Amino acid sequence: MSKYVYAFTEGNAAMRDLLGGKGANLAEMTGLGLPVPSGFTITTEACNRYYADGKKIDSAIIVETLTALADLERRTGKRFGDVKNPLLVSVRSGAAVSMPGMMDTILNLGLNDETVEGLAAATENPRFAYDSYRRFIQMFSNVVMEMDMSQFEKALEAAKEKAGAQADSDLSAEDLKALIATYKQLFVDGKGMEFPQDPKEQLIGAIEAVFRSWENPRAHFYRLMNDIPSSLGTAVNVQSMVFGNMGDDCGTGVAFTRSPSTGENKLFGEFLMNAQGEDVVAGIRTPKHIDELKADMPHCYDALVEIANKLEAHYRDMQDLEFTIEKGKLFMLQTRNGKRTAAAALRIAVEMEKEGSIDKNQAMLMVDPKQLDSLLHPTFEPKALAETAPIATGLPASPGAASGRAYFDPEKAAEAAARGEKVILVRTETSPEDIQGMNIAQGIMTARGGMTSHAAVVARGMGRCCVAGCKDVFIDEEEGYFRTTEDRVVREGDWISLDGNLGRVFLGQLPTIPANVSGDFAVIMKWADEIRTLGVLTNADTPRDAKQALEFGAEGIGLCRTEHMFFNEDRIMAVRRMIVSTTERQRKAALEELLPIQQEDFRQLYLAMEGRQVTIRLLDPPLHEFIPKEKEEIEELARQMGISYESLDEIVRSLHEVNPMMGHRGCRLAVTFPEIARMQTAAIIGAAIDAMEEGGFVIHPEIMVPLVGDAAELRFVKNIIDETAQRIMEERGRKVDYKVGTMIELPRAALTADEIAKEAQFFSFGTNDLSQMTFGFSRDDSGKFLPDYYTFKIFENDPFAKIDQKGVGKLIKMAVELGRSTNPDIHMGICGEHGGEPSSVEFCHNVGLDYVSCSPFRIPIAKLAAAQAKVRADRRK
């Protein structure tokens, strides 16, 4: 029989899949003897049971919960619903993978019209009791009953205005009583019933709301964005309340054992006195720096530092802590591995290894490969920064440089991004509902909130630049503008630039400088190279791309798409003449014009790669991609060929295919037009000889035949390649050690890989087309329906962004095993863009591929992912 509820004293950190990250860590801290308020966790299995039962909490789960509640009453000496000494609890979510701010929380649960009086008497602090009650009504109404939060916020603002109060904490007990009455009336008006007074009814409703929040839109989007399976579910943590809003000797805060922005080895954080935790995270009030706690409450500061050091040493990673101070006593409410910027992640990993607290393998696992993307793009030019005055300043919440058009509404920002605009999302303060707008933005700017606000934490996790807490800026989201203290107005659509390193906002677009791999980044890359066994190559078609890839550490070119070279202005007309030729003589004439141009392309590529592997794919795409479409272009081509417009137009229309991606392309072109393969082979071999004579490098070209589905196809094209290569080598008097292989991008090729491997010296899995052909999805059109697949959880991921390991992956694994069964020495890799996606890279390591090839800017990501794959594989042994 399943056990659905565990007291904190029963769990540990190893149970995170069952207890969620928060519950497992609360249990671990309890076991370490730290000051953790008592509580219990309802498991992720209970959440999954809730959904399996049609969104109903099973009676067995309720019985276990109430039993755990009774035990909590015994441990705290308080009773749920007791008028004189009421037990109040928080109800919080906690998934196995941290999803900060994505799901729901309810504080102060257990208050009603009677227990609030008992709490006021027991604490001798009526103001605190009524403040807690109004907070509970507001949270419960919004989270559990799904009422609009804004009406409660408006009522609060009206109460403050009436009382002449600047902040919530300035409201008196009598003011709060009146506000509670207003809140309860809003509840009656909205729900047609009185606010629930039974604490157990409140508790079950809150638990159900947390389960329900697992499927809210922002949580769903966050999971898609971070590859978190929806099948995990969330746990629910029920914990006895400690109060940071009970008076001036109380407070609440968030701290990191090291700076999440820079990685500096110093306690970093913020706190508020006389406040509850949501006040800090939501940015409702401007918090104090954690250093000030040392002056305000030195004994609590010292205790926090001691606990922080203990937890970092225990978890062997930078920790994100939540704490509350009640009547001068420190309590720990959470610890987890802290979200950090890419630069901070690198520094923390390198410094902790130097300190001896972790080894290189552990250091590898502490950096999220996807985060490196934020370090691989330009930053603002220092001279431009020095010469440009900021129009506003705030906190450097997440580093980087970003320019874009200002948008004040997440939906409008998303629409602008869909039009191809670069966007800066400008908000008074962000909330979890803004997650999609934040994801598409180049950067984020807020008027309120600190370094641990929602905007700051989420932006750092996304690798987005963020300037938070621009307190001297007035933002009008409804009208779509912000105004600075100097009365400078920035309206929707105006260009602004954010400097997330120093917390500055500039008008217009600032020039940038390219990124480079140095410092801690270079150290991590060096370690990755020492650890990984998977090669990392690049997809590059030009010397410029190749040089950029080399700067990022590429070991060669795994895919050169020759068709990309055909679109340049100096050759497109010759390509078109080749395609529309009606005789072999015409086609050969056009190809003879292209041969020296293509040979020069390859020569430059070989020289740029300085003898490293270069894999060149023969012409692959459907011919219709090259033919003219505009009347003027057809007329010009007809003039060059000496034929009538009508004749050429007829030829152009005859090349149209109903489904060109499954039509006359790839190796099929070489079968019907062998002269194309001959020209390209001559260019490849001739360029290799040119480069060897000029640069002194030994060149080993790899010639890749695309879209092969049968061994006989490859054999036919390979014979053309071998005959041509032999002729060129004899003519030039030089030998070139070339290889011939194929892309495995058709399901039939994977199924018959043992036969194809007899003809091939290497396989390169074209996972873009293999995914397309396996699913029967068009990459160009699937965007119309895939979003609905994510919404209805038919798919967890975009199969064109991340390898579908169950289907496409099974074909790859099968092809690897079949290919090596007949050709043990065959070299294998992938060249689809999946080669730079971390989970796909790990899959490639695990199935025994030799390399991955990806775009230049994804090289460091692939290297780190490959090293992590090796570390994890070794640990499983």
Side-chain angles (χ1 to χ4, degrees):
M1 184 176 176
S2 295
K3 178 177 170 64
Y4 291 111
V5 182
Y6 289 78
F8 293 166
T9 53
E10 296 178 288
N12 57 60
M15 298 170 67
R16 66 182 304 114
D17 287 347
L18 184 65
L19 303 180
K22 187 190 295 285
N25 288 334
L26 285 168
E28 188 78 3
M29 287 195 293
T30 299
L32 290 172
L34 301 183
V36 176
S38 297
F40 57 88
T41 300
I42 304 167
T43 67
T44 56
E45 290 182 354
C47 178
N48 289 328
R49 177 75 182 272
Y50 167 79
Y51 283 102
D53 290 345
K55 297 185 180 180
K56 289 175 58 180
I57 300 180
D58 185 82
S59 59
I61 298 171
I62 293 176
V63 168
E64 278 194 59
T65 299
L66 296 180
T67 301
L69 179 65
D71 183 56
L72 182 59
E73 289 175 326
R74 285 190 293 274
R75 279 183 273 127
T76 59
K78 300 178 180 180
R79 287 188 58 205
F80 212 42
D82 186 75
V83 176
K84 293 183 179 179
N85 190 20
L87 170 64
L88 304 184
V89 298
S90 62
V91 181
R92 301 175 188 265
S93 62
V97 180
S98 178
M99 296 171 55
M102 293 303 107
M103 291 176 292
D104 291 326
T105 293
I106 301 97
L107 303 179
N108 309 314
L109 190 144
L111 283 172
N112 59 28
D113 293 347
E114 293 183 341
T115 56
V116 70
E117 300 288 351
L119 184 64
T123 60
E124 298 181 351
N125 190 339
R127 194 216 161 271
F128 149 72
Y130 293 113
D131 181 50
S132 299
Y133 194 21
R134 71 93 184 165
R135 289 170 182 267
F136 171 58
I137 295 172
Q138 184 170 339
M139 268 191 175
F140 190 91
S141 299
N142 175 241
V143 172
V144 180
M145 306 305 291
E146 301 180 313
M147 294 179 66
D148 183 5
M149 178 74 86
S150 64
Q151 57 189 318
F152 294 94
E153 293 288 354
K154 288 177 182 177
L156 175 59
E157 291 302 315
K160 285 159 59 177
E161 184 177 349
K162 182 179 179 181
Q166 292 293 315
D168 304 359
S169 55
D170 296 329
L171 292 173
S172 68
E174 293 304 315
D175 296 331
L176 290 164
K177 281 183 180 181
L179 182 58
I180 288 167
T182 302
Y183 277 8
K184 288 168 67 178
Q185 188 57 51
L186 287 173
F187 188 92
V188 171
D189 294 342
K191 306 307 294 186
M193 56 182 283
E194 296 292 334
F195 187 81
Q197 296 292 301
D198 181 351
K200 289 182 181 177
E201 178 187 340
Q202 295 172 358
L203 178 62
I204 300 304
I207 292 167
E208 184 172 9
V210 173
F211 284 159
R212 193 170 62 232
S213 72
W214 178 249
E215 293 295 355
N216 71 38
R218 63 179 185 267
H220 180 59
F221 183 79
Y222 188 92
R223 289 198 298 275
L224 283 175
M225 193 170 63
N226 292 280
D227 298 329
I228 301 171
S230 61
S231 58
L232 292 180
T234 182
V236 180
N237 298 288
V238 179
Q239 188 173 26
S240 55
M241 285 291 301
V242 285
F243 298 97
N245 61 328
M246 198 180 280
D248 293 336
D249 58 351
C250 303
T252 187
V254 175
F256 297 82
T257 56
R258 300 178 190 232
S259 168
S261 291
T262 68
E264 181 184 5
N265 187 6
K266 181 184 177 182
L267 190 66
F268 174 95
E270 296 169 327
F271 73 102
L272 282 170
M273 301 306 294
N274 198 15
Q276 287 198 328
E278 297 301 303
D279 298 346
V280 177
V281 176
I284 293 169
R285 287 164 55 188
T286 301
K288 294 182 177 183
H289 192 278
I290 198 69
D291 289 348
E292 295 183 56
L293 184 62
K294 189 171 187 177
D296 292 351
M297 303 184 100
H299 62 290
C300 287
Y301 178 83
D302 292 342
L304 181 62
V305 169
E306 183 181 348
I307 289 171
N309 291 336
K310 183 173 185 176
L311 287 171
E312 180 174 282
H314 182 75
Y315 284 98
R316 301 172 69 211
D317 201 347
M318 183 265 271
Q319 293 299 291
D320 172 0
L321 315 170
E322 291 181 16
F323 63 91
T324 287
I325 299 168
E326 180 183 283
K327 294 295 184 183
K329 183 178 179 182
L330 179 71
F331 293 91
M332 301 306 299
L333 303 183
Q334 175 163 290
T335 191
R336 61 187 173 196
N337 293 343
K339 300 287 184 183
R340 65 207 79 176
T341 64
L346 294 171
R347 178 175 176 179
I348 290 168
V350 170
E351 290 189 355
M352 289 186 74
E353 192 275 342
K354 287 179 181 177
E355 293 161 9
S357 54
I358 60 172
D359 60 17
K360 290 178 183 178
N361 287 350
Q362 181 64 23
M364 286 291 99
L365 299 178
M366 286 171 59
V367 182
D368 180 354
K370 289 182 287 188
Q371 272 193 302
L372 297 182
D373 189 52
S374 65
L375 302 177
L376 300 174
H377 297 282
T379 55
F380 289 139
E381 231 174 51
K383 184 181 178 185
L385 283 177
E387 295 175 351
T388 308
I391 61 170
T393 59
L395 300 172
S398 186
S403 295
R405 296 183 184 275
Y407 281 90
F408 300 81
D409 177 88
E411 291 186 7
K412 288 184 178 180
E415 290 169 1
R419 296 193 298 268
E421 293 184 23
K422 291 187 174 180
V423 168
I424 301 292
L425 182 64
V426 181
R427 302 287 280 166
T428 302
E429 62 195 16
T430 63
S431 71
E433 282 74 17
D434 296 337
I435 184 72
Q436 288 179 274
M438 296 173 76
N439 186 50
I440 54 83
Q442 307 297 308
I444 300 153
M445 169 187 165
T446 68
R448 295 204 295 239
M451 296 289 282
T452 55
S453 64
H454 175 269
V457 171
V458 174
R460 285 195 293 267
M462 289 179 170
R464 297 290 186 277
C465 170
C466 178
V467 178
C470 299
K471 60 180 185 301
D472 294 329
V473 169
F474 171 76
I475 297 175
D476 190 321
E477 294 172 355
E478 291 187 6
E479 294 297 323
Y481 73 89
F482 74 79
R483 185 175 64 248
T484 71
T485 52
E486 297 178 352
D487 283 335
R488 188 186 295 267
V489 175
V490 173
R491 300 189 182 280
E492 182 175 283
D494 290 347
W495 280 91
I496 59 173
S497 296
L498 304 183
D499 175 7
N501 299 308
L502 295 174
R504 298 183 293 181
V505 183
F506 302 90
L507 195 61
Q509 296 174 267
L510 297 187
T512 59
I513 56 174
N516 62 82
V517 179
S518 60
D520 295 328
F521 197 168
V523 172
I524 289 291
M525 287 296 101
K526 179 177 178 292
W527 291 348
D529 288 342
E530 293 171 359
I531 293 169
R532 67 185 170 86
T533 55
L534 195 66
V536 178
L537 283 67
T538 189
N539 300 339
D541 311 320
T542 67
R544 184 187 64 185
D545 289 345
K547 288 174 182 175
Q548 178 67 78
L550 285 178
E551 288 178 13
F552 288 142
E555 297 168 310
I557 292 177
L559 173 63
C560 170
R561 308 171 182 90
T562 55
E563 62 271 8
H564 286 190
M565 300 171 171
F566 285 177
F567 285 102
N568 290 352
E569 289 184 11
D570 64 344
R571 62 198 76 175
I572 186 63
M573 293 306 286
V575 173
R576 288 171 173 173
R577 288 199 302 276
M578 172 192 73
I579 292 170
V580 301
S581 295
T582 55
T583 68
E584 185 176 344
R585 183 184 61 79
Q586 288 178 320
R587 189 172 299 109
K588 283 184 176 179
L591 289 168
E592 286 173 5
E593 185 178 337
L594 285 170
L595 173 59
I597 298 173
Q598 184 126 95
Q599 185 164 317
E600 175 60 15
D601 289 334
F602 296 146
R603 183 190 70 83
Q604 291 185 25
L605 209 56
Y606 291 139
L607 290 174
M609 295 309 292
E610 301 177 344
R612 295 175 179 84
Q613 175 184 331
V614 177
T615 304
I616 298 172
R617 183 178 70 185
L618 299 184
L619 188 63
D620 179 46
L623 296 180
H624 81 97
E625 291 191 8
F626 300 100
I627 60 177
K629 298 175 179 62
E630 303 298 328
K631 182 179 179 183
E632 295 78 10
E633 293 177 327
I634 297 176
E635 288 175 341
E636 173 60 21
L637 184 59
R639 187 189 64 76
Q640 289 189 17
M641 297 187 67
I643 61 176
S644 68
Y645 170 86
E646 289 74 19
S647 298
L648 181 57
D649 187 50
E650 179 66 28
I651 295 171
V652 167
R653 281 190 278 111
S654 72
L655 289 170
H656 173 76
E657 294 181 276
V658 175
N659 193 343
M661 292 306 291
M662 297 176 70
H664 195 188
R665 56 171 290 216
C667 66
R668 300 157 198 170
L669 294 173
V671 171
T672 54
F673 303 126
E675 53 271 23
I676 297 177
R678 291 192 187 101
M679 182 277 288
Q680 291 199 294
T681 301
I684 291 167
I685 301 301
I689 295 171
D690 291 343
M692 284 192 287
E693 292 176 346
E694 179 180 347
F697 309 117
V698 178
I699 309 296
H700 301 281
E702 295 196 351
I703 303 173
M704 186 155 65
V705 182
L707 215 73
V708 164
D710 191 282
E713 284 179 310
L714 179 58
R715 189 181 307 116
F716 179 90
V717 180
K718 186 170 180 283
N719 287 338
I720 296 171
I721 293 169
D722 288 340
E723 290 169 6
T724 306
Q726 188 63 37
R727 175 176 60 80
I728 299 298
M729 289 188 290
E730 289 175 359
E731 290 174 358
R732 298 288 298 271
R734 288 288 297 260
K735 182 172 175 56
V736 177
D737 184 16
Y738 69 93
K739 294 179 180 179
V740 179
T742 184
M743 296 185 81
I744 302 294
E745 51 192 332
L746 297 176
R748 192 179 191 281
L751 294 168
T752 61
D754 50 343
E755 295 297 320
I756 295 173
K758 295 174 185 177
E759 305 292 337
Q761 292 168 283
F762 66 89
F763 282 171
S764 181
F765 291 91
T767 51
N768 297 338
D769 265 344
L770 185 57
S771 298
Q772 181 170 236
M773 299 295 186
T774 302
F775 278 102
F777 291 165
S778 164
R779 280 179 292 161
D780 299 324
D781 300 320
S782 60
K784 297 174 183 176
F785 58 82
L786 281 180
D788 291 327
Y789 276 57
Y790 310 142
T791 298
F792 298 120
K793 297 176 188 58
I794 298 170
F795 285 176
E796 293 276 6
N797 308 103
D798 179 351
F800 298 114
K802 179 179 178 180
I803 287 179
D804 158 48
Q805 296 186 22
K806 290 183 178 178
V808 176
K810 188 177 289 185
L811 286 172
I812 293 172
K813 189 173 186 294
M814 181 189 305
V816 169
E817 293 169 353
L818 288 172
R820 290 210 167 112
S821 71
T822 57
N823 184 353
D825 298 326
I826 193 166
H827 194 53
M828 299 189 191
I830 72 166
C831 61
E833 199 54 24
H834 292 111
E837 193 281 315
S839 68
S840 302
V841 172
E842 182 162 5
F843 170 80
C844 292
H845 172 91
N846 292 338
V847 297
L849 295 188
D850 301 305
Y851 70 90
V852 297
S853 185
C854 58
S855 61
F857 282 91
R858 302 186 89 179
I859 294 292
I861 296 171
K863 282 189 165 192
L864 180 57
Q868 291 180 343
K870 177 67 165 59
V871 171
R872 282 192 279 263
D874 287 347
R875 288 185 174 184
R876 287 193 296 269
K877 290 178 181 176

